Amino acid sequence: MGQLIAVILNVMVLLLVPLGILQVHTVVQTRNELLEVSAAATKYVSNHGGMNEVRVQQEVRAFISRELAEKRLSLSDPELSVTVTRIRAADPILWSHEDEFVLQMSIPFPQFTKLIPMPAKNLQVIRQGTINVMDYDLS
């Protein structure tokens, strides 16, 4: 009887330890991909500026969709939340030279399995940048 209990415990340990390791690996991989995509999106906004806030949001979203498709990342486009906000602006409409912005990206916390309870929270990255495009370049 003791051996049966020992075998059952060993099987449980063998099943639960890899699941936990895979959970940590999934979270770390998702975080790294989120950092990579947010850096590329920040660089995109810095180098392109925009005519207004709505257009900047649309262009950043399209850029991120292209990045995810080209690099075949595990991030899911519909789950990804992206917000670009200007924190300092010379012109109220035109996003141009020396305007400062904050790019915020978040995704629901990835779960490899439902067996390991995790709190419902988001992985979030916040980046700050400056637009390097003059208003006459935005035609």
Side-chain angles (χ1 to χ4, degrees), residues 37 40-67 77 82 84 94-95 103 131 133 137-139:
V37 171
T42 303
K43 186 174 180 182
Y44 178 84
V45 175
S46 287
N47 292 335
H48 288 85
M51 298 307 277
N52 59 33
E53 187 169 346
V54 173
R55 187 157 178 197
V56 168
Q57 292 279 358
Q58 291 171 345
E59 290 176 0
V60 167
R61 198 71 170 142
F63 173 78
I64 290 171
S65 294
R66 285 192 308 270
E67 281 287 304
D77 194 24
V82 180
V84 183
L94 189 65
W95 289 47
L103 180 126
I131 297 177
V133 177
D137 293 334
L138 297 173
S139 55

Side-chain angles (χ1 to χ4, degrees), residues 82-133:
V82 180
T83 307
V84 183
T85 309
R86 274 195 305 180
I87 54 176
R88 193 178 72 127
D91 184 336
I93 297 175
L94 189 65
W95 289 47
S96 183
H97 188 63
E98 293 186 358
D99 287 356
E100 294 178 7
F101 65 93
V102 172
L103 180 126
Q104 180 178 350
M105 294 179 70
S106 63
I107 192 165
F109 199 82
Q111 289 190 332
F112 177 74
T113 180
K114 302 292 184 198
L115 295 175
I116 301 171
M118 298 295 286
K121 59 181 182 178
N122 290 335
L123 287 177
Q124 182 176 16
V125 174
I126 299 174
R127 294 193 180 263
Q128 191 170 0
T130 304
I131 297 177
N132 300 320
V133 177

